[in-house]
Amino acid sequence: MKRKRTSFFKQFLTRLLNLIQSISQFYQAKIQPPLDRFFYRLKHNFIYREIGNTVKIFSLITIRITRKRRHAFYGYLFILIWLIGIAIFTLYPLGYSFYLSFHEAYYNLQEGVITTFIGFTNYVNIFRSQTLVPAYSNYLGRMVVAVPIIIVFSIIIAVLVNMPIKTKSLWRTVFFLPVIISTGPVINELNAQSAITLPNLQASGIYSYIVNNLPSFLADPLTTVINSMLLILWYAGIPILIYLAGLQKIDPSLYEAASMDGASPWMRFWKITLPSLMPFTGISIVYVVVSMSLFVEPGGVLDLTRTHMLVGAPDSAFWFGYGYAAAMAWVYFICMVLLILVFTSLTREKRGKVK
Amino acid sequence: MKLYSFISVSQQQKMKKVWLGKTLTDGLLFKVVIYLLLISFSYIYLYPLLFMLINSLKSVDDLINPGVQWIPTVLMWENYERAFQVLSLPNSLIDSTVYVLKVSVSATLSSALIGYGFARFNFPFKRLFFAIMLATFILPQQVTMVANMLIFRELEIISTEWAMLLPAMTGQGINAAIYILIFYTFYRTIPGILIESAEVDGAGQLRIFRTIILPLAIPSFVIVFLFSFVWYWNESFITGLYVGDKVTLPLWLQAFRASYETIFPPGTPGAELNEAILLSGNMLTILPLLLLYFFGQKLFTQSIDKTGITGE
């Protein structure tokens, strides 16, 4: 019985090998030569001809192949897919949504998009809307309060983790965890069950003090930040790692020299650690602002954009449709870029003037 | 100092050295403070996760009872059974894994090619293109989604996987600028002599890329693949808009309440949806990525140094 089985396997294997061999023979005999001929034709034809190290196009234009030109050709070859992609999926949509934002646009199943030019009406309507202006100001206020908190928090955590302790990788793992698990629906559910803030924080005196004593335009962003404190700290995952990488690059001899001169750890933090971390703040801010802006909370601007685009406005006294949604997205994008510019210019090192 | 009068002076000095150290930063006291700070910060940080884990196991009585906060009186594994049913696991898990694998693999491959083009060759307008590439990070699809919707409709790929696959294949997907930058930074570290010697031996550029560069770049491939997997998995807004309602597991979670009512119609005894069942659905949704993270956490946490977004 056993012998039979081995012989069966042997038979199977030899048959398989024979099959592969016959396929390869067939390939070499029948398919390879025409392919070779095809590639030869591709390089030696009326339109494109390679002679030595020159290329003739239409037998008229002669181009000498130099190393530089060949490199440029291969460079474009490698990024060709990116060039196609950026044209179709980024630059064209960018221009098209800009175009749409000045139009009234609806989708019609028979005729496609119908647009009529209405000038700045979409933008004006945004600023006249009862639901949109609070949404934008909420967004801006929250960002203005939250981004500094995230940056300070991530610097503190990075410095703490970078201390000479043994369980560094454990802490790295813990503080990077939110980047992995934070997905829209999960966060929304946590938000609904008010699990994204510490209960003690809400019950503390600070909260009621802010609500009772500050004007609402100051109090609202502060209270929303307190109400979603932990969610905001979750955005520190990548900045912490950026700052940790920055801390590794500080020369330890700087600290030695400072302690020789009698600087305390406190002084060393302010005079050495913090200034050498400042160059990394710009990229952290960009990252934090972008990732916070792209989180779509229910009732946020991006969510409203989607509803305006797909089903029409809840306050249908105003315009809706694709043009209005495009204008909303543009205003949102401009707010985002402005925030990035303001924050990065605030933290940029002031270069000392050379006298 | 009278308290320590029974200890000799040398012992006092020894204790001081142990607690405060030579320079304060190597003493035991300092370490204790650091650990306390880190533990309390990580408690704050992981509080939502702990909340989710504990409350998902609570029974209805425990949820209402304010005395029960951290330790449930009974562990209700039934919550998980129900959530398992409602999320239609394991089918939805397999479907979403297949979908995310497709998208993230194509994003990884395309960014590997594009990064090589930028890192290795000099061509006209390279600096301009590179700047545009970096700028696409702050111009994501969420901002241009209105026009993208219409474009995908024109291309007739709306509500199909191609609406996510095509941008990923052409280096325009979610966070594609970061992936390209990771590959770019890695390729810059490969010594040029290695490639030039292959050129002298007569290897074409495509062959050099295939036989020399690709084997060297495997670590970058793994990192980029993991990150794109996680980010495409977590992206629910754009996926829901372009591809469909129930494509990935987070999107199943989004429809949790509705699908719960179809499976357990309201009115049947003991079938009311409560917070514990919702939270166990959340736990089941993040569980695959948690497992992935705990097996590959070094790859994730050490990758930021390699991306090059910190330097330059």
Side-chain angles (χ1 to χ4, degrees):
Chain A
M1 195 67 192
K2 210 178 179 184
R3 241 184 80 212
K4 228 179 185 177
R5 184 166 281 182
T6 48
S7 72
F8 170 74
F9 271 120
K10 250 183 192 169
Q11 244 179 2
F12 180 72
L13 271 180
T14 47
R15 280 198 179 174
L16 196 71
L17 284 175
N18 282 339
L19 186 71
I20 292 168
Q21 220 164 25
S22 60
I23 288 173
S24 70
Q25 273 170 4
F26 177 77
Y27 179 81
Q28 276 169 5
K30 299 279 178 187
I31 299 174
Q32 187 96 42
L35 271 182
D36 282 348
R37 249 176 283 148
F38 175 71
F39 284 124
Y40 184 82
R41 277 279 130 207
L42 215 61
K43 284 180 180 176
H44 303 80
N45 56 22
F46 172 66
I47 299 167
Y48 175 93
R49 183 172 297 157
E50 271 183 18
I51 307 160
N53 57 355
T54 56
V55 168
K56 276 193 173 180
I57 297 172
F58 288 117
S59 307
L60 285 174
I61 310 155
T62 316
I63 302 169
R64 255 191 52 233
I65 302 175
T66 57
R67 194 166 180 278
K68 209 176 156 187
R69 278 182 184 148
R70 201 185 299 131
H71 266 212
F73 170 73
Y74 277 110
Y76 274 116
L77 193 68
F78 273 104
I79 68 160
L80 184 66
I81 47 167
W82 181 80
L83 285 175
I84 295 169
I86 193 128
I88 300 175
F89 296 117
T90 304
L91 291 182
Y92 178 61
L94 193 67
Y96 191 43
S97 69
F98 191 65
Y99 167 85
L100 281 176
S101 71
F102 292 101
H103 289 73
E104 199 191 331
Y106 297 103
Y107 193 78
N108 188 308
L109 275 178
Q110 272 87 46
E111 296 165 51
V113 192
I114 303 164
T115 55
T116 35
F117 182 74
I118 50 168
F120 279 94
T121 318
N122 281 331
Y123 289 96
V124 173
N125 279 335
I126 286 173
F127 290 102
R128 281 160 61 198
S129 165
Q130 295 287 317
T131 47
L132 282 179
V133 173
Y136 282 108
S137 66
N138 270 349
Y139 164 70
L140 285 175
R142 197 181 67 233
M143 296 298 270
V144 166
V145 180
V147 171
I149 291 176
I150 294 171
I151 296 297
V152 169
F153 179 79
S154 50
I155 289 178
I156 291 172
I157 294 295
V159 169
L160 281 179
V161 173
N162 202 44
M163 289 289 175
I165 48 173
K166 271 179 189 155
T167 46
K168 255 182 212 176
S169 65
L170 171 74
W171 300 115
R172 273 169 167 250
T173 311
V174 166
F175 287 108
F176 195 68
L177 186 64
V179 179
I180 308 295
I181 59 168
S182 62
T183 167
V186 171
I187 287 173
N188 288 338
E189 190 51 48
L190 285 172
N191 194 5
Q193 307 209 10
S194 64
I196 53 173
T197 188
L198 285 178
N200 307 4
L201 201 62
Q202 263 175 325
S204 71
I206 305 169
Y207 189 83
S208 53
Y209 180 83
I210 289 171
V211 173
N212 294 332
N213 293 314
L214 288 178
S216 69
F217 73 94
L218 276 177
D220 284 348
L222 285 173
T223 49
T224 45
V225 163
I226 287 176
N227 283 337
S228 56
M229 194 63 186
L230 302 184
L231 179 62
I232 282 167
L233 293 186
W234 272 17
Y235 286 102
I238 282 186
I240 287 172
L241 289 193
I242 291 175
Y243 283 124
L244 268 174
L247 284 170
Q248 311 282 312
K249 283 177 188 154
I250 300 175
D251 193 354
S253 63
L254 270 177
Y255 288 108
E256 269 171 44
S259 57
M260 287 287 182
D261 291 345
S264 64
W266 185 247
M267 288 276 278
R268 272 179 273 159
F269 172 77
W270 288 103
K271 300 285 178 190
I272 301 173
T273 313
L274 208 58
S276 20
L277 285 184
M278 281 324 265
F280 300 96
T281 305
I283 185 71
S284 306
I285 284 171
V286 172
Y287 189 83
V288 168
V289 171
V290 169
S291 57
M292 275 187 79
S293 309
L294 294 188
F295 170 67
V296 184
E297 54 181 334
V301 177
L302 284 176
D303 194 36
L304 285 175
T305 308
R306 180 175 59 179
T307 39
H308 277 262
M309 176 170 73
L310 295 179
V311 290
D315 53 338
S316 49
F318 287 106
W319 300 94
F320 52 94
Y322 283 86
Y324 193 52
M328 285 168 67
W330 263 98
V331 173
Y332 193 70
F333 181 55
I334 289 165
C335 287
M336 196 171 115
V337 172
L338 276 181
L339 279 170
I340 289 173
L341 286 180
V342 167
F343 276 121
T344 46
S345 63
L346 279 179
T347 54
R348 189 167 296 153
E349 281 173 285
K350 291 182 186 86
R351 294 215 177 88
K353 283 169 195 159
V354 182
K355 281 176 189 170
Chain B
M1 277 295 104
K2 235 177 191 180
L3 190 67
Y4 296 122
S5 57
F6 56 92
I7 305 171
S8 66
V9 177
S10 68
Q11 268 176 325
Q12 270 186 39
Q13 278 170 345
K14 220 179 198 173
M15 273 181 73
K16 196 184 168 191
K17 199 180 164 188
V18 167
W19 278 102
L20 296 176
K22 274 180 199 160
T23 59
L24 191 67
T25 50
D26 55 354
L28 200 59
L29 187 69
F30 188 76
K31 270 189 186 150
V32 169
V33 170
I34 296 284
Y35 273 111
L36 276 180
L37 279 174
L38 276 174
I39 287 168
S40 50
F41 272 130
S42 54
Y43 164 71
I44 295 173
Y45 213 61
L46 297 183
Y47 172 80
L49 206 61
L50 287 174
F51 177 90
M52 206 148 76
L53 181 66
I54 300 292
N55 280 26
S56 69
L57 288 169
K58 279 183 183 173
S59 63
V60 187
D61 298 335
D62 287 355
L63 279 173
I64 299 164
N65 188 354
V68 181
Q69 202 184 359
W70 285 120
I71 302 163
T73 49
V74 267
L75 294 181
M76 287 283 282
W77 293 106
E78 201 189 317
N79 293 338
Y80 277 88
E81 276 168 29
R82 283 194 183 174
F84 201 85
Q85 245 176 312
V86 173
L87 289 173
S88 81
L89 287 164
N91 287 333
S92 58
L93 179 68
I94 293 167
D95 288 350
S96 67
T97 310
V98 168
Y99 157 76
V100 176
L101 269 180
K102 274 187 213 165
V103 184
S104 55
V105 164
S106 49
T108 312
L109 291 179
S110 68
S111 47
L113 283 174
I114 296 159
Y116 188 67
F118 277 122
R120 175 79 191 112
F121 302 104
N122 276 317
F123 44 86
F125 306 116
K126 177 180 160 179
R127 283 177 153 272
L128 174 73
F129 288 147
F130 198 67
I132 293 175
M133 194 274 289
L134 292 181
T136 53
F137 179 66
I138 59 165
L139 179 80
Q141 290 190 0
Q142 279 92 334
V143 175
T144 53
M145 66 181 173
V146 180
N148 264 330
M149 279 286 283
L150 290 174
I151 288 162
F152 290 149
R153 264 202 188 138
E154 294 290 308
L155 295 173
E156 293 183 354
I157 53 172
I158 195 78
S159 304
T160 61
E161 285 175 359
W162 289 101
M164 291 303 272
L165 269 172
L166 277 181
M169 278 174 180
T170 51
Q172 308 297 323
I174 296 156
N175 290 342
I178 293 181
Y179 313 143
I180 295 173
L181 200 63
I182 292 174
F183 276 113
Y184 176 84
T185 326
F186 171 74
Y187 294 139
R188 298 293 277 189
T189 62
I190 297 178
I193 292 174
L194 197 70
I195 296 157
E196 269 160 34
S197 63
E199 259 175 25
V200 169
D201 288 347
Q205 294 295 341
L206 296 175
R207 189 166 165 196
I208 290 173
F209 182 69
R210 208 178 58 223
T211 54
I212 300 175
I213 306 294
L214 281 191
L216 286 174
I218 284 173
S220 311
F221 267 95
V222 174
I223 287 167
V224 171
F225 168 72
L226 286 177
F227 267 100
S228 59
F229 190 88
V230 166
W231 275 329
Y232 273 107
W233 183 284
N234 284 338
E235 176 52 65
S236 54
F237 182 70
I238 283 292
T239 313
L241 196 63
Y242 291 167
V243 184
D245 277 342
K246 290 179 177 175
V247 185
T248 60
L249 207 51
L251 285 169
W252 276 91
L253 182 68
Q254 210 163 35
F256 194 90
R257 286 165 206 267
S259 38
Y260 186 88
E261 280 182 3
T262 55
I263 294 180
F264 302 102
T268 39
E272 287 87 26
L273 179 61
N274 58 36
E275 282 87 353
I277 297 172
L278 275 167
L279 284 177
S280 48
N282 282 322
M283 279 306 289
L284 285 175
T285 309
I286 64 170
L287 202 62
L289 287 188
L290 271 184
L291 289 177
L292 184 74
Y293 183 56
F294 281 112
F295 284 115
Q297 41 105 354
K298 278 236 166 94
L299 290 169
F300 280 106
T301 52
Q302 291 175 354
S303 58
I304 295 294
D305 310 357
K306 293 175 188 166
T307 56
I309 57 174
T310 57
E312 287 143 23

